[in-house]
Amino acid sequence: MGLTGRTALLAALGSLPVGIWDPSWTGLLAVNAPLALACACDFALASPVRRLKLTRSGDTSARLGDPADITLTITNPSRRGPLRAHLRDAWPPSSWPPGTETEASRHRLTVPSGERRRVTTRLRPTRRGDHHSDRVTIRSFGPLGLFTRQGTHKVPWTVRVLPPFTSRKHLPSKLARLRELDGRTSVLTRGQGTEFDSLREYVPGDDTRSIDWRATARHSTVAVRTWRPERDRHILLVLDTGRTSAGRVDDAPRLDASLDAALLLAALASRAGDRVDLLAYDRRVRALVQGRTARDVLPSLVNAMATLEPELVETDARGLTGAALRTAPRRSLIVLMTTLDAAPVEEGLLPVLPQLTQRHTVLVASVADPHIARMTTSRGTADAVYEAAAAARAQSERQHTAEQLRRHGVTVVDATPDQLAPALADAYLALKAAGRL
């Protein structure tokens, strides 16, 4: 083999760039000619990578916290022999918990000529939203494992990670309460609702205003009217996706707690026969779900919420109010998921709130920070006392803001992330029981 041939061989094997030659390699090749020949054969017999055909199948969606299995099919059309390879299926870092990506994304496989094999990559996403696959890198080994060929393929695939809806554990108890309000159990709701249901015998403690005197005159016992909440009411869930929704509470954005509470309320309201729409807004509409049936509303909301992220901009309260009025032209229950921080409410929401309250029933739900409550009990050192004082002042300002909203006729729900969803559902049931829907 001449000098040019030896240089080309070494360049092909990756030892030297083409055009660079060290004379000491001549003697090395002369002494180790059998090794050089074995290396060349091993390189030549390594199955080519670029001719491989790759396709994907598997899950296209998963709830946050649940696994998603993506299957990659590798077809080897080469006649050189089996493909012996290491494969890396790359996805964004948030597709796995920290420290587990290396083991989950790498595979070893052997694919005989003209055959295909499948490998499965299990994702365990740690963030909501759309996760897009990156490159598939394959390193093909020769029979002796001395040299390899390496190449990459683009095999697009998207997995949509949906909100986890952890509050669904509260749904059975809320539905039981709803059935009580709706008169479908043996427990009858006392007091007046909004739609006449039936007559029953008076029992001590019933509201005397519910006595039906004409029916009583015809019977030997006192008869009272029972009521049930009206159905087919409209509920608009309004998510504030501005900068305040990005604040982290218990190591998660406030927006995530709002999404969970909105899903529980939507599930409950749809079972009650009410129509539920969704509007997400900061300075423009980020998501809008309208006109879904009771069967389709929850999947539609979950799908729309999956890609919502807090925007680091100040929410345009006037624009949000206008969008809500356009989405709900008739009387509705507007549930606004926003902050109770003094500045955004006093400068943004309060000036435009009368536009909503004069036409709609308004409920404001906000995520409270449990760390503030823990700080109020701090004692023992000067720093702890200062922390307690600061926390008490923050709570006082928050209560003052809530009271300002209540003076405008707004129902306020302020609860920690794990209590916000059931508290919001209870507020909805209370409004129904009071006949305000």
Side-chain angles (χ1 to χ4, degrees), residues 2 18 41 70-71 79 86 140 161 175 191 212 260 321 390 411 420 434:
V18 175
C41 292
I70 313 302
T71 299
R79 298 182 178 179
H86 291 175
S140 172
V161 182
L175 288 175
D212 190 315
D260 195 51
T321 301
T411 301
L420 181 63

Side-chain angles (χ1 to χ4, degrees), residues 277-417:
D277 292 340
L278 170 72
L279 171 68
Y281 192 95
D282 42 71
R283 288 187 173 273
R284 63 180 180 87
V285 175
R286 300 290 176 176
L288 180 62
V289 177
Q290 283 183 287
R292 299 298 193 273
T293 64
R295 177 180 297 180
D296 297 334
V297 64
L298 201 59
S300 299
L301 292 181
V302 168
N303 192 58
M305 292 175 177
T307 57
L308 285 178
E309 293 292 343
E311 301 292 332
L312 300 182
V313 296
E314 195 71 40
T315 299
D316 177 10
R318 192 171 300 276
L320 183 148
T321 301
L325 292 174
R326 289 191 298 271
T327 308
R330 298 181 179 178
R331 184 166 184 82
S332 308
L333 170 62
I334 294 183
V335 181
L336 176 57
M337 320 285 286
T338 187
T339 181
L340 282 182
D341 293 346
V345 172
E346 294 176 358
E347 298 174 10
L349 182 59
L350 284 179
V352 299
L353 191 58
Q355 300 178 33
L356 293 176
T357 55
Q358 68 183 359
R359 188 186 304 179
H360 304 290
T361 301
V362 179
L363 190 159
V364 170
S366 182
V367 182
D369 190 346
H371 182 61
I372 300 296
R374 292 192 292 267
M375 286 174 60
T376 59
T377 62
S378 299
R379 297 293 187 274
T381 64
D383 290 342
V385 172
Y386 278 117
E387 285 184 359
R393 179 169 181 175
Q395 286 184 333
S396 176
E397 292 177 350
R398 196 173 183 89
Q399 292 168 1
H400 175 70
T401 303
E403 188 57 36
Q404 286 183 294
L405 293 172
R406 292 188 181 100
R407 284 199 291 267
H408 284 79
V410 175
T411 301
V412 179
V413 175
D414 185 25
T416 56

Side-chain angles (χ1 to χ4, degrees), residues 175-187:
L175 288 175
R177 175 60 179 157
L178 178 64
R179 285 192 292 270
E180 294 176 10
L181 293 177
D182 225 7
R184 290 193 291 244
T185 67
S186 59
V187 180

